[in-house]
Amino acid sequence: MSGKSNSESPGQTKRFFKNRLFGAIFLILLALLGSFTLQWVLAWTLQTETPLHTPISRSMEPTLKIGDLLIIRGGLKAEDIHASPKDGDIIIFRNPIDPEDLPVVHRAIKKIQKNGKWYFITKGDNNPYDDYKIFGWLVPENYIIGKVIFAVPIVG
C-alpha cells in the first residue's frame, strides 16, 4: 500500500477555495457587466432610458398583468401614438400629478391639442372610467416615456 491518503493537503484546499471564490466573483462581475451592457443596448436601440418595465397594479388587466415584462419604445411624438378607447397604444408615462412617482402604464384613448401642445387622456383597461374623470389627468406629450411594443408574460 502506498502512503498517500485520499484527503487533500491544507494547501490544496486553500487553493481550491481561492479558485472557487475567484471564479464566483468573476461570474458575478461578468453577469453585472452583461446586464449593464444589455440595458445600455436596449436603451440606445429603443430610444428610451426605460426600455423595460412591469405593471405594478391590475389596472391594465386582462391585457397586461402584474409581473409581465414590457418592452418600451421611446423617442415618440404625439403623431406616433394611436389614441382610441378600443385599440389605442399602451403608453408608459410620468404621473401628471407627481412626475417623480413611479411611471404609469395605461392605454391612450384620446389625443387633444391645446395651445399648440399635445395631451393624452389615458385609461387602464380594467378601470371603469378614464384617468381624466378619475384623477383629472391630461398627460402632456413630453411626459410620455414610450409605448409598449411587446409584453412577455410573467417574466417581469
Side-chain angles (χ1 to χ4, degrees):
M1 272 184 93
S2 117
K4 292 183 181 177
S5 73
N6 288 340
S7 65
E8 297 178 356
S9 71
Q12 288 175 319
T13 303
K14 273 186 178 180
R15 271 183 272 142
F16 175 76
F17 282 115
K18 274 186 180 178
N19 288 342
R20 290 212 50 183
L21 179 60
F22 174 77
I25 290 171
F26 179 75
L27 285 176
I28 290 169
L29 290 174
L30 192 61
L32 285 172
L33 179 64
S35 175
F36 286 123
T37 302
L38 177 64
Q39 180 77 8
W40 181 84
V41 167
L42 286 173
W44 181 77
T45 305
L46 298 171
Q47 301 173 8
T48 179
E49 291 179 14
T50 313
L52 304 173
H53 191 68
T54 187
I56 59 167
S57 76
R58 291 179 169 33
S59 67
M60 282 303 294
E61 286 185 352
T63 310
L64 302 173
K65 295 177 178 52
I66 294 172
D68 289 352
L69 179 65
L70 309 179
I71 315 270
I72 310 297
R73 188 176 122 226
L76 305 172
K77 295 181 179 168
E79 57 265 15
D80 299 323
I81 298 171
H82 172 64
S84 166
K86 299 270 188 227
D87 65 349
D89 287 330
I90 298 171
I91 60 175
I92 179 170
F93 55 92
R94 289 191 293 279
N95 183 323
I97 305 291
D98 182 4
E100 299 302 314
D101 199 1
L102 292 172
V104 179
V105 179
H106 278 177
R107 187 175 303 280
I109 64 167
K110 190 172 184 180
K111 214 183 310 193
I112 301 166
Q113 192 171 30
K114 287 171 75 172
N115 301 323
K117 191 173 179 183
W118 285 103
Y119 295 87
F120 291 85
I121 294 177
T122 56
K123 180 183 180 294
D125 290 356
N126 197 27
N127 294 347
Y129 302 105
D130 64 55
D131 296 333
Y132 183 72
K133 287 180 185 164
I134 296 173
F135 306 111
W137 288 357
L138 278 177
V139 180
E141 177 182 16
N142 63 324
Y143 274 38
I144 295 174
I145 296 167
K147 71 179 176 180
V148 176
I149 58 170
F150 195 72
V152 183
I154 309 169
V155 175

